[in-house]
Amino acid sequence: MSTLVAPRPQGTRRPNTWGFGGSLLLGVACLVVFLPFLWVLLGSFKTGSQLNDPTLITFHPNLANWRDVIDSGILQAAGRSALVGIITVSISVVIGSMGAYSISRYKTGGSATRFGILAAQVLPPAVLVFPFLDMAFRLRINDTLAVVVIAHLSFVMPVVTWFLIGFFDAAPKEIEEQAMVDGLSRFAAFRKVVLPQVAPGIGASAIFGFVLSWNDLFYALILAPGNAATLPVRIAGFNTFRGVELGSMCAAILVSIVPVLIASFFIQRRLVRGISGGAVKF
Amino acid sequence: MKAITLRKSAIAAGTAAILALVSACSSGSTSSSAAPAASAGISADTAGTVRVLMEGVPDTDIVKGLLAEFNKKYPKITVNIESIVYDQIRDKIVASFQAPTPTYDMAIIDNPWMGDFAKAGFLKPLDDYIKNTPNYDYQDFSAPLRAIGEVDGKTYGVPFYNYGLGLIYRTDLFKTAGLTEPTTLAELATAAKKLTTPTRAGIAMQPQRGYKAFEEWGNYLDAAGGSIYGSDGKVHLNTPEAKLALNTYIQMYKTSAPKNSLNWAFDEALRAVSSDKAAMMVSYNWMLPTLNKQGGPAGALAGKFKLATMPGGKQILGLWDWAIPANSKVSDAAWAFISWLTSKEGEAARVSAGGAPVRTSVLTDPAVASTGGGADYFATVGKILGNAEPLCHGSSCDEMINAVGTELNAAIAGQKSVDAALLAAETQANKIQTQ
Amino acid sequence: MSFRLRMMAPLLALFVGSVGYPLLYAFYLSLTSYRITHRWDTHLVGLRQYNDVLHNSDYWSALKVTGTFVFLAVTLELCIGLMIALALQRQKRIRDFTRSFLLTPMFVTPIAVGLMFRFLLNQQLGALPAVLGHLGITYDFFGSGNALYSIILIDTWQWTPFMVLLLLAGLESLPRQPFEAARVDGASAFYTFRRITVPMLAPVLVVAVLIRSLDAMKVFEYVYAITRGGPGTETQTIQYFTYQTGIQFYRLGNASAMSYLLLAIVLTIVVFLFRRIERSRRS
């Protein structure tokens, strides 16, 4: 993968106007991303009456909202979201990589499998949720994280598998064929030779899958609304059309953003490298 | 010998203990579908844990505050109150109603849901419980409120707190403009126009598509002398009163409401009124004590508000009922709580703490009148509760309210003519309710 | 069992359990009169639900709203995303920070983004209308005629980083030689872009647009948090409409039929597009 990208010779320079325009664009983009976060940050420290004034910037910060939010169990909800995400992604990656390998190398099922996987993405959750709810009642797992994981698998697994098919497609066959000639079984070759090659791609798919699960509101809202509430459900709980706790809502939003901000610093490099490793070829 | 005798007596003692335990248990919470235990109400020995889901509103906090008092009479019943936002309540309780083991043993039901839930068999009929509770005085509940909980001849809910609407206005601004409480819809429109200044709207309106639009406009319909349902039990919105009401509403929205408020709901209107950006609003009657509270949301305007009935005296009513799910396994304990809280004493305690009343006796109780909004306020509430109609009765109310509210909002937004919108609203409403 | 089938088996099993079963059950539901509040009264009604849906003007209007939303949002995200990706690729200083920072919106849970913008753009409380007010502009972000575009802007704020990610990855994996050759030949930046970058990036563009479009079709959180489908039915997207019909109005049989019709429509479009791409690739 990196062999395709030869380093640029020293001393070459792009025309300055394009460079300047690019920097300006990035600056504006950063501002557009930053300002809503800033507004929410300020809001989380304001009291009810201070919130009525949208342009109030300097004021004495108040911690009441933060206390309310932490008391409301939002950190536990975030923990539950993370747990669901990790379990969902782990299952998806393990099972998906095996299946994706089979589809990529052996064309199992032909193009029907690729379309089939896509089809799963199209159906709106509003329809799939009731069969899940019914199943949850029968298996007595309603309002638990288990049923949320099953529901999340329905949309994470296809995406992860689909990405992995692309990664496997891009990985050259010669290396594993060489390994098998050297005496490794097919599964061993898969595990020891192919997987490490595709590792950045697996990382990228895992991150995508995790984000999809982390962000889901719909399934969690209906399948696990009570004791097993995930973070988005909790945040939705601050939104009402009959009276809003705006300050607490700002604090809750920040609680969900800050870990994400920190994580994305670590993730982005890996993400870009992983995806450029071949998944996005079709 | 001695050992055997000891053993025998141990067994005898053990059996007696078990029998005692079993009889104690079965006399309490586990008899759910059988007739209630004693005709002297629910025994104070009843044990059980009752879980209930409620909305995060002041009345819920008041109920939580009364739990200690409840436990003095029923020490073995634990009531667990979970409070969340309105939007999530219905889906959660519907899920619980259908689950093999319920998540909630008691429920509060909003009036639009009552018809559907009762007919779907989700709720337990309470007639026997009511009959067998001494001094309950079910007739003391305001008549329109009782009607909401009664479906197909059976009672499925008893009133918890009302949200009847009324006109809330600024007394100081009325005085300066030389206005008196409007007695007709036209007077209301004139008053709103007169109170409109460049910095303050005459009236904050809530035309948000769906529930809010219908809830607010319904009051205008009542003020115009109309009503939502006809004597044939069908929705009648294609009437001259409805057209007058909608035309007046749109006129007022254009001239006397805050700019760009097409999407406004409760929040926005309250903010406008409490920050002196609007002089009046049609809102829930119990907003008055909140607005008049020193140190409350109205800030410096506290004490300047008054509650009036809608012009003509008829308005829209909303109600939360207490109900027991059909799959509840602790119905006796649940009824113990419900009957205690909604009894005359319980109600007096709740209303004194600021709750919205549902019993007519409480409204005239001088002890209660001295608290909260004052005698004047309670007298007005009495008038409101005496002459009010809910937005919908029967089945599929959520859908019916949404359909009518969507048509109304389309007319207010200018996307449809008044006549077309009202006709469509009526047709759809009837179609939905008879499907 | 052969190796390839053994590798496929777990995936297939999981697929059947978590996707196949609900799909089939939902299809069965679409052939019944199922309503959550009338469960005992459920009977098969053949294609009546489908007939109802096809004649329901609200359904077609929801499809139209969704189609408009997807088209405008994805186009905007593609254009802005491409520009940002190009700029990021050329950036030499503080690369890591800018990249991480610009990617953050896509990691925030959409309901939080919806609520954030609900109040940022709120007439009474929001900073943006206040600032615009100082400049003498009054613009009702969620008023009639504007609400859909505001939702599109919110979607763009959140998901352009996703496009940036895919496009940047694509750009970084492009071979250097054609660009070097073009530079040596004296080609202008615009020419390079049009004749070299875009064609080479085409597969990536297709994937990015496809994934983003399928996702955009399911937009729900922003509508749920802010407009609830209004004003009128201007922001009533198909996902929200199906939710409303099936869960809020209890008519799950009807909602299932709506979704299956949507599936049929979208699959047709997708298959059609794929065939076109295959054909153009072969040529």
Side-chain angles (χ1 to χ4, degrees):
Chain A
M1 279 132 285
S2 46
T3 51
L4 289 170
V5 184
R8 189 185 305 163
Q10 297 286 26
T12 49
R13 290 177 45 121
R14 297 273 156 192
N16 257 0
T17 43
W18 182 241
F20 175 71
S23 300
L24 188 65
L25 176 66
L26 291 181
V28 170
C30 282
L31 209 62
V32 169
V33 165
F34 178 63
L35 286 176
F37 291 141
L38 177 66
W39 190 85
V40 169
L41 180 67
L42 288 176
S44 69
F45 290 110
K46 290 184 180 175
T47 62
S49 48
Q50 284 171 329
L51 284 163
N52 278 332
D53 179 2
T55 50
L56 187 63
I57 302 184
T58 44
F59 55 92
H60 194 71
N62 188 299
L63 289 176
N65 295 323
W66 285 94
R67 246 175 282 138
D68 280 341
V69 161
I70 306 233
D71 281 341
S72 79
I74 203 164
L75 296 172
Q76 292 91 311
R80 281 191 285 266
S81 273
L83 187 63
V84 167
I86 292 173
I87 297 178
T88 307
V89 163
S90 309
I91 298 178
S92 300
V93 163
V94 167
I95 296 187
S97 60
M98 286 170 45
Y101 184 70
S102 171
I103 295 175
S104 162
R105 288 286 179 260
Y106 301 99
K107 305 278 182 277
T108 317
S111 50
T113 40
R114 295 193 190 218
F115 282 142
I117 291 177
L118 220 53
Q121 295 299 98
V122 175
L123 263 177
V127 177
L128 298 182
V129 73
F130 189 70
F132 284 131
L133 193 61
D134 195 66
M135 182 168 69
F137 284 149
R138 286 179 208 272
L139 299 176
R140 292 176 185 264
I141 51 172
N142 56 294
D143 206 9
T144 63
L145 292 180
V147 65
V148 179
V149 169
I150 296 175
H152 282 194
L153 280 172
S154 76
F155 60 87
V156 171
M157 208 183 45
V159 168
V160 167
T161 310
W162 207 62
F163 267 112
L164 287 175
I165 295 177
F167 284 119
F168 284 121
D169 279 346
K173 291 192 184 193
E174 297 76 34
I175 304 184
E176 71 215 56
E177 278 165 11
Q178 182 63 45
M180 287 194 274
V181 161
D182 284 346
L184 284 173
S185 77
R186 273 178 300 188
F187 191 73
F190 167 70
R191 245 186 60 222
K192 295 192 183 156
V193 172
V194 185
L195 282 184
Q197 247 191 312
V198 198
I202 292 184
S205 316
I207 291 171
F208 264 134
F210 182 81
V211 170
L212 282 177
S213 166
W214 173 266
N215 284 345
D216 164 70
L217 170 71
F218 196 80
Y219 283 118
L221 188 65
I222 297 186
L223 299 173
N227 304 318
T230 55
L231 186 59
V233 177
R234 261 320 152 108
I235 294 180
F238 287 100
N239 183 37
T240 124
F241 285 78
R242 290 185 8 175
V244 196
E245 302 135 40
L246 191 52
S248 312
M249 194 195 75
C250 286
I253 290 176
L254 280 174
V255 166
S256 73
I257 289 179
V258 166
V260 154
L261 273 177
I262 299 175
S264 84
F265 272 89
F266 294 111
I267 288 173
Q268 67 83 16
R269 201 188 294 190
R270 198 155 292 193
L271 209 50
V272 174
R273 205 182 301 148
I275 293 182
S276 65
V280 276
K281 294 201 172 35
F282 188 82
Chain B
M1 254 338 141
K2 201 167 173 207
I4 297 173
T5 324
L6 262 175
R7 261 244 243 106
K8 260 201 196 155
S9 53
I11 293 173
T15 318
I18 291 173
L19 279 172
L21 200 64
V22 165
S23 60
C25 282
S26 58
S27 70
S29 50
T30 51
S31 57
S32 48
S33 46
S39 59
I42 305 290
S43 141
D45 248 354
T46 314
T49 307
V50 178
R51 298 159 299 177
V52 62
L53 187 63
M54 297 177 72
E55 189 185 358
V57 285
D59 255 291
T60 303
D61 293 328
I62 294 171
V63 171
K64 284 186 188 167
L66 292 172
L67 284 179
E69 198 63 35
F70 169 69
N71 280 127
K72 285 191 193 150
K73 180 153 184 226
Y74 290 95
K76 297 187 190 160
I77 301 181
T78 321
V79 177
N80 284 336
I81 298 180
E82 185 189 332
S83 95
I84 58 167
V85 296
Y86 178 77
D87 301 313
Q88 298 184 347
I89 294 180
R90 205 199 71 169
D91 292 338
K92 283 184 162 194
I93 57 178
V94 168
S96 172
F97 292 153
Q98 301 175 82
T101 39
T103 324
Y104 303 108
D105 315 292
M106 190 164 70
I108 54 165
I109 314 283
D110 199 7
N111 62 290
W113 310 336
M114 188 53 87
D116 285 326
F117 287 179
K119 290 183 205 221
F122 289 158
L123 303 175
K124 213 182 270 277
L126 301 174
D127 304 274
D128 284 337
Y129 275 128
I130 294 173
K131 204 157 40 129
N132 290 327
T133 306
N135 298 327
Y136 190 61
D137 199 358
Y138 179 66
Q139 300 298 321
D140 186 33
F141 290 115
S142 196
L145 301 182
R146 267 182 283 132
I148 289 174
E150 288 158 12
V151 181
D152 293 338
K154 294 211 182 115
T155 309
Y156 290 94
V158 292
F160 169 25
Y161 77 90
N162 84 80
Y163 52 98
L165 291 111
L167 183 69
I168 296 182
Y169 66 94
R170 287 268 297 277
T171 48
D172 54 337
L173 296 176
F174 260 51
K175 196 149 156 223
T176 331
L179 293 165
T180 54
E181 282 181 12
T183 53
T184 67
L185 186 58
E187 280 177 28
L188 177 65
T190 322
K193 185 95 189 288
K194 215 164 172 199
L195 291 169
T196 307
T197 70
T199 51
R200 189 197 304 119
I203 181 165
M205 298 176 81
Q206 301 159 58
Q208 190 188 69
R209 171 226 199 209
Y211 181 85
K212 290 313 289 184
F214 190 14
E215 187 186 59
E216 187 175 55
W217 176 79
N219 292 291
Y220 285 69
L221 173 64
D222 287 342
S227 82
I228 300 170
Y229 286 90
S231 45
D232 58 354
K234 286 187 164 203
V235 175
H236 283 276
L237 295 176
N238 197 17
T239 58
E241 292 89 2
K243 293 183 189 171
L244 172 66
L246 191 52
N247 277 314
T248 312
Y249 188 94
I250 295 175
Q251 194 54 31
M252 286 173 68
Y253 169 70
K254 286 189 182 150
T255 58
S256 320
K259 289 195 80 170
N260 289 334
S261 58
L262 186 64
N263 262 339
W264 278 28
F266 176 72
D267 275 346
E268 289 85 355
L270 178 64
R271 248 176 255 134
V273 166
S274 33
S275 55
D276 200 22
K277 300 258 173 43
M280 298 192 275
M281 68 170 171
V282 172
S283 187
Y284 307 120
N285 63 68
W286 35 258
M287 278 316 297
L288 185 75
T290 309
L291 281 170
N292 275 337
K293 190 164 71 162
Q294 291 296 335
L301 299 172
K304 299 198 173 143
F305 295 97
K306 191 149 188 256
L307 174 73
T309 64
M310 284 301 288
K314 186 166 170 214
Q315 43 270 311
I316 295 294
L317 177 68
L319 178 71
W320 283 95
D321 271 340
W322 289 105
I324 302 180
N327 62 358
S328 170
K329 308 240 189 320
V330 288
S331 327
D332 280 359
W335 179 252
F337 179 72
I338 295 174
S339 56
W340 181 88
L341 185 70
T342 55
S343 66
K344 290 196 178 134
E345 300 77 31
E347 169 90 353
R350 187 178 62 83
V351 174
S352 301
V358 287
R359 279 179 177 272
T360 44
S361 61
V362 161
L363 290 171
T364 47
D365 184 346
V368 171
S370 59
T371 67
D376 217 15
Y377 160 72
F378 281 115
T380 315
V381 171
K383 282 193 229 153
I384 289 175
L385 291 183
N387 190 4
E389 61 169 350
L391 282 179
C392 167
H393 53 74
S395 50
S396 305
C397 275
D398 275 328
E399 195 173 354
M400 175 267 197
I401 293 175
N402 183 70
V404 174
T406 305
E407 295 296 332
L408 289 173
N409 179 275
I412 300 164
Q415 293 164 357
K416 262 187 170 172
S417 76
V418 163
D419 289 354
L422 287 173
L423 181 59
E426 179 185 283
T427 323
Q428 282 184 57
N430 283 319
K431 177 166 159 233
I432 289 167
Q433 292 216 282
T434 50
Q435 76 187 335
Chain C
M1 204 172 21
S2 71
F3 175 68
R4 66 177 181 137
L5 285 175
R6 265 184 291 134
M7 292 289 269
M8 256 314 258
L11 181 66
L12 216 55
L14 204 56
F15 211 76
V16 166
S18 72
V19 179
Y21 160 71
L23 269 179
L24 287 173
Y25 191 88
F27 182 65
Y28 160 70
L29 281 179
S30 74
L31 298 173
T32 66
S33 64
Y34 191 97
R35 287 155 67 197
I36 300 182
T37 43
H38 290 76
R39 285 165 104 197
W40 67 89
D41 193 22
T42 310
H43 41 268
L44 285 173
V45 291
L47 295 176
R48 194 187 74 188
Q49 299 280 27
Y50 286 94
N51 192 39
D52 270 348
V53 173
L54 284 171
H55 287 102
N56 188 345
S57 58
D58 281 335
Y59 180 73
W60 294 107
S61 135
L63 282 180
K64 194 167 139 233
V65 167
T66 311
T68 314
F69 173 83
V70 170
F71 178 72
L72 289 176
V74 175
T75 308
L76 212 56
E77 286 156 21
L78 186 65
C79 298
I80 300 179
L82 192 55
M83 292 200 292
I84 294 181
L86 286 169
L88 280 176
Q89 196 197 17
R90 277 162 181 59
Q91 194 188 20
K92 284 182 281 260
R93 288 177 286 216
I94 48 171
R95 275 180 136 209
D96 271 349
F97 172 80
T98 330
R99 289 185 181 196
S100 334
F101 191 72
L102 285 180
L103 286 185
T104 44
M106 70 182 247
F107 292 118
V108 182
T109 187
I111 185 78
V113 174
L115 291 180
M116 195 161 71
F117 279 96
R118 177 181 173 201
F119 290 101
L120 188 62
L121 301 178
N122 181 293
Q123 275 290 97
Q124 295 172 313
L125 301 172
L128 199 54
V131 166
L132 289 178
H134 283 312
L135 298 174
I137 310 172
T138 42
Y139 180 76
D140 188 8
F141 280 95
F142 299 114
S144 189
N146 301 336
L148 188 60
Y149 300 111
S150 303
I151 303 260
I152 290 174
L153 286 179
I154 296 172
D155 191 85
T156 309
W157 184 89
Q158 172 146 40
W159 295 108
T160 306
F162 177 80
M163 286 297 222
V164 168
L165 184 63
L166 288 184
L167 295 174
L168 186 60
L171 283 172
E172 299 221 325
S173 70
L174 293 181
R176 284 260 148 256
Q177 293 87 339
F179 292 98
E180 286 304 316
R183 198 184 59 82
V184 162
D185 285 347
S188 75
F190 187 64
Y191 183 89
T192 317
F193 178 71
R194 231 188 83 205
R195 288 306 179 91
I196 304 182
T197 318
V198 172
M200 284 179 46
L201 211 49
V204 180
L205 289 173
V206 167
V207 166
V209 168
L210 183 67
I211 298 180
R212 190 71 268 283
S213 302
L214 283 181
D215 219 29
M217 257 191 0
K218 296 191 271 183
V219 63
F220 176 78
E221 282 88 353
Y222 308 135
V223 179
Y224 182 74
I226 309 175
T227 60
R228 297 283 161 109
T233 49
E234 280 178 41
T235 57
Q236 188 158 272
T237 59
I238 195 69
Q239 171 85 319
Y240 187 77
F241 185 58
T242 317
Y243 162 79
Q244 201 183 43
T245 308
I247 310 276
Q248 280 198 341
F249 302 155
Y250 308 117
R251 295 195 278 123
L252 213 61
N254 200 263
S256 303
M258 284 182 192
S259 303
Y260 261 87
L261 267 178
L262 177 68
L263 177 65
I265 295 172
V266 173
L267 272 183
T268 316
I269 298 177
V270 167
V271 167
F272 177 70
L273 282 175
F274 273 26
R275 295 274 162 84
R276 289 284 304 276
I277 292 170
E278 285 294 307
R279 223 174 296 143
S280 68
R281 203 199 295 181
R282 252 176 264 138
S283 67

